[in-house]
Amino acid sequence: MSRTARWRLGLGASAVLLATAALPAPAHAEDVTDYAITVDPSATGPKIDKTMYGVFFEDINRAADGGLYAELVQNRSFEYSTADNASYTPLTAWTVSGTARVVDDSGRLNDRNRAYLSLAAGSSVTNAGYNTGVAVRDGEKYDFSVWARAEAGSTLTVTLQDAGGPLADARRIAVKRSGWTRYKATFTATRTSTAGRLTVAADAATALDMVSLFPRDTYKHEPNGLRKDLAEKIAALRPGFVRFPGGCLVNTGSMQDYSEGSGWQRKRSYQWKDTIGPVETRATNANFWGYNQSYGLGYYEYFRFAEDIGAMPLPVVPALVTGCGQNKAVVDDALLKRHIQDTLDLIEFANGPATSEWGRKRAEMGHPEPFHLTHIEVGNEENLPHEFFARFQQFRAAVKAKYPSVQVISNSGPDDAGATFDTAWKLNRDAEVDMVDEHYYNSPQWFLQHNDRYDSYDRSGPKVFLGEYASQGNAFKNGLAEAAFMTGLERNADVVKLASYAPLLANEDYVQWSPDMVWFNNHASWNSANYEVQKLFMTNVGDRVVPSTATGTPSLSGPITGAVGLSTWNTGAAYDDVKVTAADGGTLFGDDFSGDASRWTHTGTGSWTVRDGSYVQTDDTAENTMVQAGDPSWHDYDLHVKATKKSGKEGFLVAFGVKDTGNYYWWNLGGWNNTQSAVEQATDGGKSTLLAKAGSVETGRAYDIDIKVRGRQVTLYLDGKEWGSFTDDKPAEPFRQVVTRDAKTGELIVKVVNAQSAAARTSVDLGGARVASTAKVTTLAAAPEAVNTETATAVAPKTSTFTQVAGKFTYTFPANSVTFLRIKQK
């Protein structure tokens, strides 16, 4: 046991390291340790599949066009539309000199590429690329292509330049045909630039489409290849699988196809048949995340990339129940049958012989051999579990009937707990589903608290695919919390079979979601701290868990303490009769707003005024309009508030245990577009849900809200009736470990996370194992707030050797560190 006690006092949302109380040193001071790890090498732990860790790619944050897909021209086929983004036009990213117009008529390139550019004689168009422009490097080659037609013939002059002048010699292309023809040219960059512009000029009237510029040096394949630096960063992880293409892309929008019969619907779910074949014949679509997706990066490219990096392909197909805030079950039996057949056709496309209908299409694209698809996922985060599962069952039955060896993966909704989660899991368990996909994005504290999440899962039930998770930040403290959680994933490798951090990529100038694993712009990319953690685990997995135990960190939890607060989210609301009463009945605070609001501090957005004896927030477009009052040291109190919704999308946010703007609890009534209520805990700005129920708030109705805080237990009342309660007493343990064995190298891999600001001197007992005296050590250590950027890498692995390994030895794990020791067994 430890002779040094580290006491952590849980105040509100934070677990704070208070002091180190060192007892007098014994005669042999070197024997004093903070923690003890005991390994049992004779016991057999769970097998770890080689596919344990993988990556999830979704076209979010411009991850595809302008990202992994190497095309340098934005809006290359003039298909941008207000359906994609209200600010878009067919000439977004283009500048016209002279006369040009985008045409949608029978002269188009093909039915699925519906718009093209009509360029007048003596006119030109210039493309701005992505970020600051078209990025080129001195001496490298770039392949230009365009589909063009000119009734009387024309000459195109194609130039690549920036504000400083030409970036390559101009190219001239003779357009000799009246019919559509693809023309090509190659540029060799004469200098490096990140702000290039591509210009196409015509000396006679010419129609243009699919204006393209690709770097010759792409990842593995060209043309239509992948951006090399991003692909190499993903490959360096050595992922066991690639989940694609979504995410919300899969289960939002219309489930119809892109055809005349459906009215050429642009806001569609991602459907694989839209994304194969020659790129100029692939459909375009409105991306759920607010831009256009060209489908230049499609299913064939995903399969090929997975194969290139040695990963298992794991596609996700629509279940015909929308999610991500849309939450609608599509009732159309014919459409459902078509999507089920599409799923069967997808498996044939991946696995069928080149003589089959869809295997032939794969072969025609250049891959006669199968892609060896073994898993397929139906649906993503559906919030209607019964409706989803009824459709999922039909998909599963069809797949199992024709392809019995293919595993069909279900899901448990968008949250880590709650009514939808519980219902979905019961349906999956009762139907003996192969695997269930769980998703959650929570605070670092939640991940430190829930290392044991899968310890109690039914070993005979469905396996778990943790398809999306992250701790709401890209600082090293986030990576530490995720690493601590991952030791629990490995310990439970008999239940958790697959796991992937999400999202994978983010273009720094087009961000819809943060945090992300890899960041980039048009010329550079950099690894987040989270990436470094993922890479360390993914490249040092081992093939079996070796059972081990560790002592924990002594802790002392005090009561929930903090001030009180009021807020709204996309809602206008009025609050009145705020009262805070101590447990002994004494009054701590009261405000009926008969005067001013001088005792309240406005720390959020929005517009607050005292009006007609109420405190009113009138901006129903503002998010988190927090005002707070009281003493951060308050504990054991009753909070009463009267609240009335005036306008907007949601309901009320009543806060308690408020320490500061990033650390508090609040009761969110009528959240999530007025569909559910929940208690959320904010820790350092990241939020976790502690309790949730379906429910909505009526406009114009006054609600009595009461919150009773006693110690670390909280009871909530709505209009005098108990709504729910919870106890927040789970320790956020900062010291976590797991041990695995690598049969190929004969090494024990001791993996330790020390997510606290003091070093952890630790005794390690290898349980009698005969080992070499030297271990290979890889360490990630940095300040908790450290963040990697394009120009500075604060979090990076360091390797070393440790030469004092024995059956029993002592090792000091640095403060705020993840450490892997690879110890050779004799």
Side-chain angles (χ1 to χ4, degrees):
M1 292 294 292
S2 168
R3 294 296 301 274
T4 303
R6 285 185 173 80
W7 298 99
R8 294 180 299 115
L9 178 60
L11 297 179
S14 301
V16 182
L17 184 67
L18 283 188
T20 301
L23 298 178
H28 300 286
E30 68 274 9
D31 294 333
V32 177
T33 57
D34 304 312
Y35 297 94
I37 296 173
T38 305
V39 183
D40 185 357
S42 64
T44 301
K47 179 180 181 295
I48 307 175
D49 295 339
K50 64 180 182 180
T51 53
M52 173 75 181
Y53 295 121
V55 294
F56 165 48
F57 181 92
E58 178 176 9
D59 186 1
I60 184 174
N61 309 312
R62 293 275 190 185
D65 295 332
L68 184 61
Y69 186 49
E71 175 64 77
L72 298 175
V73 176
Q74 184 178 175
N75 190 17
R76 66 182 178 185
S77 59
F78 310 100
E79 297 285 344
Y80 276 28
S81 161
T82 53
D84 309 323
N85 186 294
S87 67
Y88 281 2
T89 75
L91 284 170
T92 292
W94 293 94
T95 301
V96 176
S97 177
T99 302
R101 61 190 179 93
V102 176
V103 183
D104 179 357
D105 64 14
S106 59
R108 63 179 64 89
L109 181 59
N110 58 66
D111 278 348
R112 291 163 73 80
N113 194 332
R114 301 189 62 74
Y116 65 95
L117 185 74
S118 175
L119 189 61
S123 301
S124 66
V125 286
T126 299
N127 191 264
Y130 295 94
N131 301 93
T132 55
V134 176
V136 297
R137 290 187 175 90
D138 185 22
E140 296 194 4
K141 294 183 182 299
Y142 296 86
D143 292 322
F144 170 83
S145 66
V146 63
W147 284 81
R149 61 176 171 81
E151 299 302 326
S154 74
T155 298
L156 300 179
T157 301
V158 187
T159 57
L160 190 58
Q161 71 286 322
D162 64 9
L167 295 169
D169 292 338
R171 293 288 181 262
R172 286 176 174 78
I173 297 171
V175 179
K176 299 178 180 179
R177 299 185 182 180
S178 59
W180 286 105
T181 303
R182 189 179 184 219
Y183 299 89
K184 301 178 182 179
T186 298
F187 290 98
T188 300
T190 55
R191 57 188 176 86
T192 296
S193 175
T194 63
R197 298 291 186 269
L198 179 75
T199 299
V200 181
D203 67 353
T206 310
L208 304 177
D209 207 345
M210 295 294 291
V211 182
S212 174
L213 187 68
F214 258 85
R216 177 74 59 83
D217 188 19
T218 57
Y219 184 77
K220 298 282 189 182
H221 305 278
E222 54 90 14
N224 207 50
L226 304 182
R227 179 171 151 173
K228 194 171 184 179
D229 62 327
L230 295 178
E232 287 178 341
K233 278 178 164 49
I234 299 169
L237 293 167
R238 285 188 253 159
F241 65 88
V242 178
R243 177 179 181 249
F244 62 88
C248 290
L249 301 187
V250 168
N251 69 337
T252 53
S254 168
M255 299 293 162
Q256 298 289 341
D257 62 1
Y258 192 56
S259 68
E260 185 177 6
S262 68
W264 306 106
Q265 293 190 37
R266 286 291 290 269
K267 294 187 175 183
R268 308 183 314 284
S269 63
Y270 195 111
Q271 299 173 46
W272 78 271
K273 289 181 180 178
D274 287 343
T275 75
I276 64 168
V279 291
E280 68 272 10
T281 67
R282 299 182 189 182
T284 191
N285 201 10
N287 185 301
F288 172 81
W289 298 107
Y291 51 90
N292 177 273
Q293 50 189 343
S294 72
Y295 287 147
L297 175 58
Y299 256 72
Y300 176 74
E301 289 76 24
Y302 285 128
F303 276 123
R304 191 177 62 183
F305 181 52
E307 180 181 71
D308 287 341
I309 63 177
M312 176 183 79
L314 204 167
V316 186
V317 298
L320 274 71
V321 177
T322 59
C324 301
Q326 296 183 0
N327 302 336
K328 177 183 177 183
V330 179
V331 181
D332 185 330
D333 287 342
L335 188 59
L336 176 61
K337 289 178 181 177
R338 193 266 286 175
H339 275 267
I340 291 172
Q341 185 59 50
D342 281 355
T343 302
L344 298 176
D345 293 344
L346 171 59
I347 299 172
E348 183 176 284
F349 176 78
N351 294 349
T355 55
S356 65
E357 178 185 359
W358 292 98
R360 183 181 302 111
K361 293 184 184 298
R362 180 195 68 238
E364 289 170 352
M365 294 185 73
H367 202 288
E369 297 302 316
F371 284 117
H372 306 293
L373 177 66
T374 58
H375 293 66
I376 194 164
E377 184 172 357
V378 178
N380 171 76
E381 293 188 7
E382 283 74 25
N383 246 324
L384 303 173
H386 290 287
E387 293 85 344
F388 159 72
F389 203 73
R391 290 156 180 77
F392 170 83
Q393 287 278 59
Q394 295 184 60
F395 279 87
R396 184 172 73 147
V399 171
K400 289 295 186 183
K402 190 169 184 179
Y403 302 103
S405 64
V406 173
Q407 281 203 32
V408 185
I409 301 172
S410 180
N411 74 79
S412 59
D415 301 308
D416 61 87
T420 296
F421 179 88
D422 292 340
T423 300
W425 256 105
K426 185 178 189 309
L427 292 168
N428 286 307
R429 191 178 297 109
D430 290 349
E432 299 181 347
V433 166
D434 292 330
M435 190 177 293
V436 178
D437 187 1
E438 294 187 354
H439 296 177
Y440 37 82
Y441 298 90
N442 290 318
S443 67
Q445 176 166 297
W446 186 95
F447 283 94
L448 292 176
Q449 290 175 318
H450 288 84
N451 174 274
D452 63 348
R453 176 178 176 89
Y454 297 107
D455 290 0
S456 59
Y457 270 49
D458 183 359
R459 266 49 201 168
S460 63
K463 302 306 180 185
V464 172
F465 172 23
L466 180 50
E468 298 183 32
Y469 72 97
S471 71
Q472 301 175 339
N474 277 144
F476 188 50
K477 66 183 178 184
N478 300 97
L480 286 170
E482 290 153 6
F485 190 73
M486 292 170 79
T487 66
L489 300 183
E490 290 193 7
R491 187 176 63 251
N492 290 285
D494 55 331
V495 169
V496 183
K497 308 305 288 184
L498 308 168
S500 50
Y501 178 100
L504 177 59
L505 299 178
N507 187 319
E508 66 174 350
D509 293 331
Y510 308 96
V511 179
Q512 293 84 43
W513 187 282
S514 185
D516 304 281
M517 199 193 300
V518 177
W519 290 81
F520 65 93
N521 50 38
N522 66 353
H523 63 279
S525 57
W526 54 98
N527 303 331
S528 68
N530 317 68
Y531 175 98
E532 297 298 348
V533 165
Q534 293 291 324
K535 184 179 179 182
L536 186 57
F537 275 84
M538 293 167 77
T539 56
N540 293 277
V541 181
D543 47 51
R544 188 170 292 278
V545 175
V546 180
S548 61
T549 59
T551 55
T553 307
S555 62
L556 176 66
S557 292
I560 291 174
T561 64
V564 299
L566 308 171
S567 189
T568 59
W569 199 287
N570 290 330
T571 304
Y575 294 96
D576 200 1
D577 295 335
V578 178
K579 299 175 184 175
V580 183
T581 307
D584 62 6
T587 298
L588 297 175
F589 181 86
D591 201 335
D592 63 3
F593 302 106
S594 57
D596 57 25
S598 58
R599 289 188 289 169
W600 294 84
T601 301
H602 187 186
T603 59
T605 62
S607 178
W608 289 87
T609 57
V610 175
R611 182 186 302 170
D612 300 326
S614 296
Y615 202 14
V616 183
Q617 199 292 115
T618 55
D619 185 350
D620 60 13
T621 65
E623 298 179 348
N624 193 4
T625 63
M626 179 84 82
V627 291
Q628 63 189 66
D631 190 332
S633 67
W634 281 349
H635 61 87
D636 297 294
Y637 57 77
D638 297 323
L639 168 62
H640 171 80
V641 180
K642 187 178 288 292
T644 305
K645 176 180 176 178
K646 296 295 187 179
S647 64
K649 297 179 180 179
E650 303 203 351
F652 319 116
L653 296 165
V654 179
F656 57 99
V658 179
K659 304 298 293 181
D660 52 47
T661 55
N663 296 278
Y664 54 85
Y665 301 79
W666 67 19
W667 188 5
N668 185 348
L669 292 106
W672 295 270
N673 288 320
N674 207 16
T675 61
Q676 73 177 39
S677 298
V679 178
E680 297 177 280
Q681 180 184 20
T683 308
D684 295 333
K687 292 189 183 70
S688 301
T689 300
L690 303 181
L691 181 65
K693 295 182 181 181
S696 59
V697 168
E698 297 175 26
T699 301
R701 176 184 165 188
Y703 291 83
D704 283 310
I705 298 167
D706 291 276
I707 301 172
K708 180 179 181 180
V709 181
R710 293 293 184 274
R712 301 202 66 80
Q713 183 174 5
V714 178
T715 309
L716 307 108
Y717 301 87
L718 187 61
D719 288 335
K721 295 181 180 179
E722 184 175 330
W723 177 86
S725 64
F726 68 93
T727 303
D728 180 27
D729 61 356
K730 196 173 182 66
E733 174 58 58
F735 187 86
R736 296 291 189 183
Q737 60 81 38
V738 69
V739 180
T740 64
R741 177 181 286 116
D742 188 331
K744 184 177 180 180
T745 64
E747 291 171 311
L748 292 175
I749 312 174
V750 180
K751 311 174 186 185
V752 177
V753 180
N754 180 30
Q756 58 188 330
S757 58
R761 183 170 170 80
T762 305
S763 64
V764 181
D765 183 346
L766 296 178
R770 297 180 64 246
V771 294
S773 60
T774 299
K776 294 181 288 186
V777 183
T778 306
T779 305
L780 291 170
E785 302 297 333
V787 176
N788 288 347
T789 67
E790 179 184 354
T791 57
T793 304
V795 182
K798 294 184 179 179
T799 58
S800 60
T801 57
F802 179 66
T803 59
Q804 300 177 43
V805 179
K808 296 181 180 179
F809 66 95
T810 298
Y811 191 92
T812 299
F813 296 97
N816 301 305
S817 68
V818 184
T819 306
F820 280 27
L821 293 87
R822 297 190 69 111
I823 303 170
K824 190 83 171 181
Q825 286 187 272
K826 292 182 178 179

